[in-house]
Amino acid sequence: MVFQLNRRVLVMAVSASVLLAGCGGVKTTSTGGEGDYPTGNIQMSVGASPGGSTDLITRAIAEGVGKELGVSVPVVNKPGANGALNAKELKAAKADGYKIAVQNASLFTITPLAVSANEAVKIDDFDLITGVSQDDYMLAAPAASGYKTIADLKKAGKNIKYGTTGVGTGAQLASALTFKTAGIAATDVPFDGGAPAMTALLGQQVDVATFQIGEGIENVKSGKLVPLAVFSAERIAFLPDVPTAKEQGYDVVVSQYRFLTAPKGTPDDVKAKLAEAAKKTFATDTYKKFNEANFLTPREVGPDEIKKILDEATAKYKAQLDQYGISLAAKK
Amino acid sequence: MDGFIDGFGVVLEPANLLYCLIGVVIGMLIGVLPGLGPAATIAILLPITYGVPPVSAIIMLAGIFYGAQYGGTITSVLLRLPGEASSVVTVFDGFALAKQGRAGTALGIAAIGSFIGGTVSIIGLTLVAPVVAGVALDFGPPEYAALSLFGVLLVATVGNGGWLKAVIAAGVGLLLATVGRDTFTGASRFTFDSLNLADGIDFVPIAMGLFGLGEILYNLEERHHKLQTPAAVANVWPSRADLRQARGAIGRGSVIGFVLGVLPGGGATLSSLVAYAVEKRRSKQPERFGRGAVEGVAAPETANNAAATSSFIPLLTLGIPANATMALMFGALLIQGIPPGPQLVSEHPDLFWGVINSMYLGNILLLIMSIPLVGLFVKILKVRPAVLAPITVLITLLGVYTVANQVFDIFLVIVFGVLGYLMKKLGFEPGPLVLAFVLGSVMETAVRQSLLIFGGNPAGFFTRPISGTVLVALIIVLALPAVRALVRRQKERV
């Protein structure tokens, strides 16, 4: 009796694992001619752990696209190397539209400036389907510090310790450029992600820190943090009173973009169907509310426009880093 | 105090009650089975917690941990077969009592002692936690640097085996922690140009390999002796005379367990040994020990439960795991996206108080279960390892894949499984390796961040109140044995 019970528990545990594993690796059964896409599940992979912005966006889109196309769209997390691991797998996948992914602009524009060549990923290895949204960065200081603008930091006349969310992130690039162009002596203190950087800022271990809007807006609203600048080209709807760095006289524009990609060589009609389904998803109220709740600005532009944004950003960042002699990788 | 009361609300949610029950039952089961310890079980179950809400997951894993302390007692008393390392000393007097036909008394005393020990520690945890939370924001990189250094050094010196082997294992753990992309410069370290290693080695495959697979492989090799017929259990409720005799031992065991559990490198096994030794030394008739002294069961069983509970304190309040099992809890929290640290109490009060309060409940469940279900649990020993081992291996390999959907992780588990097997075979404990691995990355990041903040001046570590105190304490702890040896030599010379 006891033995039986025990065995049953084990069998249950095994089947639970199998089930879990099954959820992760749903095979796409892609058969049939080109015209009737999709005939099976479309897998969306995420190059980050569950819970992050990219993951949440992917899930929101997967739900909508699945409904539009009448197939299920499982989301699989493949975290690793800032998303490069996922990019590499997607690049190698069959270009039939059954494996797609939302990817981050920073992986193509900023990360290559900081990591070794073999880890760098090229945008030309993918077909672009549609732009998704823009996620912005802010520079903030603890309320007790008394800093209100970037100029205040300069007036402080001391070496400013700034926290960032890691090497090769937009947060690091934006801060490095700001302090260099403003001529402020500053030290970069990288943290592993937004949460530890936020803790260090609230505890005043660092003077200021740069992170994504969603990571810091709660503490801004509660008055614990004062935003000094946002790094978007124009002011953002979620923090309308906060001036951009550009307004304050520093030519620093850094945003995170996310867009839907497929392996290179995906048939045009498949791409068109996916773009259409995404467009319909973007138009739903659920999705619009999702964007607002996560402080994302829609950037639902076409493939050519994304390519332009990426190429311009890459060129500009590189030029600025060269001009000011900044290296994101090596320590000064 | 609000959080404390809300915590009961969290525990009493039906789902959480169920997870608590599942946890303590599994804990008790594996506590009975020699070989498969709580660390291995938690390692194997890590991926399953992935799909469970954070509070429920940690409640269940905690239940496995303290449940195992109860389970280990049963086989120690009835079969002279300690299910857990922390129940080894219980064998001496527990089995002697069983031979006298007083197995029931031994189990009853153990259950009562465990309950009291566990409860004392929970109350301690409840009182200490808000104090730490109050200064949470004062914990910056320098404080983490000091604490993790303290942790690594203590772990390396206070292991179960020889200190040299512990230091070697910890050294390997520190080296493994350096694999991956450097957080500060973006340089790739020891990645051999593989993107799979770009983020370093994940904690889960290491833990599952060393504790799970390694343990299973090692156990397969062990000879399996034929089971004795367990002694009959009757009259579980101890007599008033027994209770009077055990009273002091339970009280002292609670305190010893609580204190040793909090210290890095301490924990259930060490505290049970110390508590037993203390009782024997204090006793007016030390010759009774080993021949069925009630205190000889009460002291270690109280202490190991108190320690199992109090070792949660450094993890939940400082984010520093005190022993290998807590390192696994650390991993479980990270999987759930919750970094353990001083902010835990204020940022995740439901988790913090939910888990603590689940321990009150879990201890009551264990007390209720352990006595009537003794016979049932003993029968589990009849499951042959040939049946159990392949199933656990399968669960391990499937489980690790589900965490990140990477086949690479399956290979990692196998590699670390073989390493874990070899380590056990050569007398190395996997505990220091895993702890050093966890603390190593915390330490490296914190030290380098601190130096950036201090402008490169290491004196900064000593000028901040918390990091300074920790470092001074560390120096005292390290210097103490040397000073004591010196004094002793002086005396001998005189």
Side-chain angles (χ1 to χ4, degrees):
Chain A
M1 165 60 205
V2 177
F3 171 62
Q4 286 246 310
L5 187 92
N6 188 41
R7 192 162 60 183
R8 200 175 306 148
V9 169
L10 284 169
V11 168
M12 262 160 61
V14 172
S15 38
S17 308
V18 173
L19 232 120
L20 277 168
C23 295
V26 178
K27 283 275 169 294
T28 55
T29 44
S30 50
T31 43
E34 276 184 15
D36 35 80
Y37 172 87
T39 53
N41 295 341
I42 302 172
Q43 179 183 299
M44 286 185 83
S45 55
V46 184
S49 306
S53 308
T54 314
D55 176 67
L56 294 176
I57 293 170
T58 302
R59 286 173 198 278
I61 294 176
E63 204 189 317
V65 167
K67 259 184 216 155
E68 288 302 328
L69 297 178
V71 293
S72 78
V73 183
V75 174
V76 182
N77 294 85
K78 298 255 178 191
N82 279 350
L85 208 56
N86 182 44
K88 212 175 132 194
E89 278 196 23
L90 184 69
K91 183 185 156 189
K94 215 170 146 194
D96 54 6
Y98 290 96
K99 274 194 178 160
I100 56 175
V102 172
Q103 299 202 66
N104 293 341
S106 62
L107 179 63
F108 304 98
T109 58
I110 305 172
T111 310
L113 302 171
V115 302
S116 57
N118 76 301
E119 287 182 37
V121 187
K122 284 192 255 356
I123 191 67
D124 295 331
D125 291 331
F126 300 97
D127 274 350
L128 303 173
I129 296 166
T130 170
V132 177
S133 50
Q134 173 181 337
D135 202 348
D136 288 295
Y137 298 96
M138 69 163 133
L139 176 71
S145 69
Y147 301 130
K148 298 224 157 48
T149 60
I150 297 174
D152 289 345
L153 294 176
K154 189 161 187 176
K155 272 184 245 152
K158 62 164 191 171
N159 188 305
I160 298 289
K161 272 107 189 170
Y162 65 93
T164 68
T165 56
V167 168
T169 61
Q172 188 204 17
L173 176 72
S175 339
L177 281 176
T178 304
F179 291 115
K180 207 74 182 183
T181 49
I184 300 169
T187 308
D188 174 4
V189 185
F191 288 85
D192 194 10
M198 180 59 67
T199 307
L201 183 64
L202 288 171
Q204 304 199 32
Q205 321 290 347
V206 290
D207 298 306
V208 293
T210 303
F211 32 74
Q212 292 185 329
I213 304 295
E215 290 168 335
I217 200 158
E218 291 304 326
N219 283 309
V220 168
K221 284 185 177 157
S222 68
K224 285 187 201 144
L225 294 180
V226 174
L228 309 183
V230 289
F231 292 105
S232 44
E234 281 142 34
R235 289 195 185 200
I236 54 166
F238 307 107
L239 290 169
D241 301 330
V242 182
T244 62
K246 210 164 181 175
E247 280 178 64
Q248 299 181 47
Y250 313 102
D251 183 22
V252 183
V253 180
V254 180
S255 291
Q256 176 71 291
Y257 296 99
R258 294 191 179 83
F259 41 86
L260 192 58
T261 58
K264 191 93 195 160
T266 304
D268 285 341
D269 60 323
V270 169
K271 281 191 283 186
K273 267 191 184 163
L274 282 169
E276 181 65 23
K279 203 174 162 188
K280 281 185 183 152
T281 305
F282 296 150
T284 60
D285 278 344
T286 327
Y287 184 80
K288 284 182 183 158
K289 282 202 188 104
F290 164 81
N291 266 346
E292 269 168 41
N294 290 283
F295 310 102
L296 300 166
T297 311
R299 254 322 161 97
E300 291 136 8
V301 296
D304 297 339
E305 181 80 357
I306 315 170
K307 185 80 172 60
K308 212 178 107 207
I309 293 177
L310 290 179
D311 287 347
E312 280 176 9
T314 311
K316 187 169 178 194
Y317 297 156
K318 190 146 192 328
Q320 283 187 315
L321 291 178
D322 287 347
Q323 183 190 341
Y324 294 106
I326 306 172
S327 164
L328 293 183
K331 280 264 76 68
K332 292 128 265 188
Chain B
M1 264 305 102
D2 281 354
F4 175 71
I5 293 159
D6 292 343
F8 274 110
V10 173
V11 184
L12 294 176
E13 280 168 27
N16 288 338
L17 276 177
L18 183 68
Y19 279 109
C20 186
L21 184 68
I22 295 175
V24 295
V25 170
I26 296 180
M28 206 127 159
L29 281 172
I30 55 111
V32 169
L33 288 170
L36 206 60
T41 311
I42 294 170
I44 292 166
L45 291 181
L46 274 181
I48 291 179
T49 65
Y50 191 56
V52 176
V55 185
S56 311
I58 306 298
I59 285 179
M60 182 176 78
L61 295 182
I64 293 175
F65 183 44
Y66 56 76
Q69 313 301 329
Y70 274 80
T73 316
I74 300 175
T75 44
S76 294
V77 171
L78 297 182
L79 301 169
R80 205 180 180 178
L81 200 67
E84 289 314 312
S86 58
S87 293
V88 170
V89 278
T90 313
V91 167
F92 308 145
D93 287 284
F95 190 64
L97 279 169
K99 272 199 299 194
Q100 295 162 18
R102 299 178 68 205
T105 312
L107 288 175
I109 284 281
I112 294 168
S114 296
F115 179 73
I116 295 175
T119 312
V120 166
S121 272
I122 301 167
I123 295 170
L125 182 52
T126 310
L127 296 177
V128 168
V131 179
V132 179
V135 292
L137 284 179
D138 294 334
F139 277 82
E143 284 68 33
Y144 276 108
L147 277 174
S148 50
L149 181 67
F150 195 82
V152 169
L153 284 180
L154 283 190
V155 161
T157 46
V158 202
N160 287 339
W163 69 268
L164 185 65
K165 285 185 172 177
V167 168
I168 293 171
V172 174
L174 288 178
L175 270 178
L176 287 172
T178 61
V179 174
R181 182 183 289 156
D182 185 328
T183 331
F184 294 80
T185 64
S188 296
R189 303 189 296 199
F190 307 115
T191 61
F192 304 101
D193 279 351
S194 158
L195 276 183
N196 284 310
L197 288 172
D199 285 342
I201 303 171
D202 193 25
F203 171 78
V204 177
I206 289 193
M208 293 184 77
L210 288 179
F211 287 114
L213 202 58
E215 198 82 39
I216 299 165
L217 289 176
Y218 183 75
N219 285 333
L220 280 179
E221 209 177 67
E222 291 236 297
R223 276 182 302 119
H224 292 278
H225 20 218
K226 205 165 162 272
L227 277 182
Q228 300 150 282
T229 325
V233 183
N235 197 15
V236 169
W237 198 249
S239 72
R240 198 168 286 180
D242 290 332
L243 281 176
R244 204 176 308 126
Q245 224 165 15
R247 205 165 48 192
I250 290 177
R252 283 183 289 275
S254 299
V255 176
I256 291 168
F258 180 79
V259 173
L260 289 181
V262 174
L263 293 180
T269 309
L270 185 68
S271 65
S272 65
L273 290 168
V274 172
Y276 186 82
V278 165
E279 286 313 311
K280 196 169 170 183
R281 202 178 299 163
R282 279 185 58 98
S283 173
K284 291 193 186 83
Q285 309 143 286
E287 65 281 357
R288 278 179 45 248
F289 280 78
R291 293 189 193 146
V294 177
E295 306 97 288
V297 174
E301 285 306 315
T302 309
N304 69 23
N305 251 57
T309 310
S310 70
S311 56
F312 275 90
I313 294 179
L315 178 76
L316 292 180
T317 58
L318 300 173
I320 301 289
N323 55 47
T325 316
M326 288 304 121
L328 292 163
M329 294 285 176
F330 186 96
L333 285 166
L334 285 185
I335 288 183
Q336 300 278 0
I338 296 171
Q343 297 81 31
L344 190 82
V345 189
S346 45
E347 282 177 17
H348 301 279
D350 56 328
L351 181 120
F352 185 86
W353 293 111
V355 169
I356 290 181
N357 292 345
S358 78
M359 295 182 193
Y360 285 108
L361 197 85
N363 272 295
I364 296 171
L365 286 176
L366 283 168
L367 187 62
I368 298 170
M369 280 198 321
S370 59
I371 295 167
L373 297 183
V374 163
L376 215 73
F377 281 114
V378 169
K379 288 207 184 106
I380 288 152
L381 283 170
K382 291 189 175 150
V383 181
R384 275 177 318 174
V387 175
L388 206 58
I391 296 175
T392 6
V393 170
L394 188 67
I395 296 177
T396 309
L397 296 182
L398 280 175
V400 75
Y401 178 78
T402 60
V403 173
N405 299 308
Q406 303 287 1
V407 178
F408 182 74
D409 287 347
I410 298 180
F411 291 113
L412 275 183
V413 168
I414 295 171
V415 168
F416 282 104
V418 172
L419 180 67
Y421 164 74
L422 290 176
M423 283 177 74
K424 276 227 125 175
K425 196 125 174 103
L426 300 174
F428 288 90
E429 286 291 321
L433 192 160
V434 170
L435 272 168
F437 175 76
V438 169
L439 291 172
S441 50
V442 176
M443 183 160 66
E444 192 208 334
T445 313
V447 168
R448 291 172 69 181
Q449 281 166 345
S450 306
L451 288 174
L452 286 171
I453 290 170
F454 296 148
N457 182 4
F461 286 112
F462 290 93
T463 56
R464 294 168 60 111
I466 300 174
S467 63
T469 312
V470 173
L471 287 175
V472 169
L474 177 65
I475 291 168
I476 293 173
V477 169
L478 286 182
L480 217 54
V483 172
R484 210 181 289 150
L486 212 70
V487 170
R488 201 180 304 139
R489 211 174 304 155
Q490 286 285 332
K491 270 189 193 155
E492 274 164 16
R493 219 173 280 165
V494 171

